[in-house]
Amino acid sequence: MSAFLKWLEELNERDTRVRAVLRRSLAFPPGAFPAAFPYVEPFLKDDAPYWRRQAHYLVAALWAAHWKEGRPGPALPIGEAAARHALAQHTREQLTKGTSSTERRFIALLDADPVQLPHRLRQMVALLKEQTLDFDTLLTDLLRWQDERKRKQNEWARQFYRTLNPTPDLDPAAETEEEPA
């Protein structure tokens, strides 16, 4: 667990009002709700880039909104959690015939720019309310969201589609063989 999330958990153990304040901050753009400042600012340097500040506030708010004591199971990355949700909501046959609402939301999330991301991520996390999410990984991923090569979005897509459509282990040597001419 990252120092940031460990800090939030420790604050929550002392005072559950922390979660209420951070949940309330979801009604504002990330970093624009002054009551949330005491819980996030200790982890940000004065010269922290704008996006780093946004990501910390967003993850803190999502963590608070999603928090549930004794949530079972391992913490999942968001792509895998979304796929598991889609599988639980639809039969495999339904999923192969067309995209599910979960998949459409997930694709919209992957395509979100930094302005749209808080809204789309809030929707996705609310949809995944029964799952244990890995907020450490989410924070790390959001800090790299604006990479021009979209590495994190591609990673999330791989998590989603590989969980949604598992394939038997392929022989790596078979994949590199040349096709007959």
Side-chain angles (χ1 to χ4, degrees):
M1 181 179 293
S2 71
F4 179 59
L5 287 162
K6 186 175 180 182
W7 157 262
L8 293 176
E9 288 283 355
E10 288 172 359
L11 288 173
N12 180 54
E13 286 177 17
R14 289 182 278 180
D15 184 5
T16 56
R17 181 171 114 54
V18 171
R19 280 194 336 270
V21 168
L22 292 172
R23 272 193 316 268
R24 174 83 173 101
S25 74
L26 281 172
F28 300 86
F33 186 56
F37 293 175
Y39 310 121
V40 180
E41 286 301 322
F43 284 86
L44 299 170
K45 296 179 181 176
D46 288 339
D47 60 347
Y50 178 75
W51 181 247
R52 182 174 192 76
R53 184 174 299 293
Q54 297 275 93
H56 276 79
Y57 277 98
L58 180 57
V59 168
L62 292 171
W63 167 85
H66 192 71
W67 190 90
K68 182 177 178 183
E69 191 167 18
R71 195 178 294 271
L76 301 173
I78 199 141
E80 184 178 341
R84 287 185 182 197
H85 177 78
L87 288 169
Q89 297 300 311
H90 307 282
T91 66
R92 187 167 305 282
E93 183 179 315
Q94 289 171 322
L95 288 171
T96 58
K97 288 183 179 178
T99 59
S100 69
S101 61
T102 304
E103 184 177 7
R104 285 189 302 275
R105 285 184 184 195
F106 187 72
I107 290 169
L109 173 62
L110 293 178
D111 194 38
D113 63 31
V115 173
Q116 299 167 330
L117 186 62
H119 174 71
R120 300 218 191 266
L121 199 49
R122 184 172 62 235
Q123 287 179 325
M124 184 58 65
V125 169
L127 188 68
L128 303 176
K129 64 182 178 268
E130 298 302 319
Q131 308 230 17
T132 305
L133 298 178
D134 185 347
F135 286 96
D136 283 327
T137 300
L138 179 60
L139 178 60
T140 302
D141 290 354
L142 291 182
L143 292 173
R144 293 171 176 81
W145 191 259
Q146 297 184 66
D147 174 23
E148 61 189 44
R149 292 178 59 194
K150 297 191 175 279
R151 291 180 186 141
K152 286 301 158 186
Q153 292 89 328
N154 289 324
E155 182 180 322
W156 286 16
R158 282 190 302 276
Q159 292 167 355
F160 182 84
Y161 288 106
R162 287 178 182 168
T163 302
L164 198 62
N165 301 303
T167 58
D169 290 334
L170 299 175
D171 178 12
E175 290 182 26
T176 59
E177 290 180 13
E178 290 183 33
E179 293 183 16

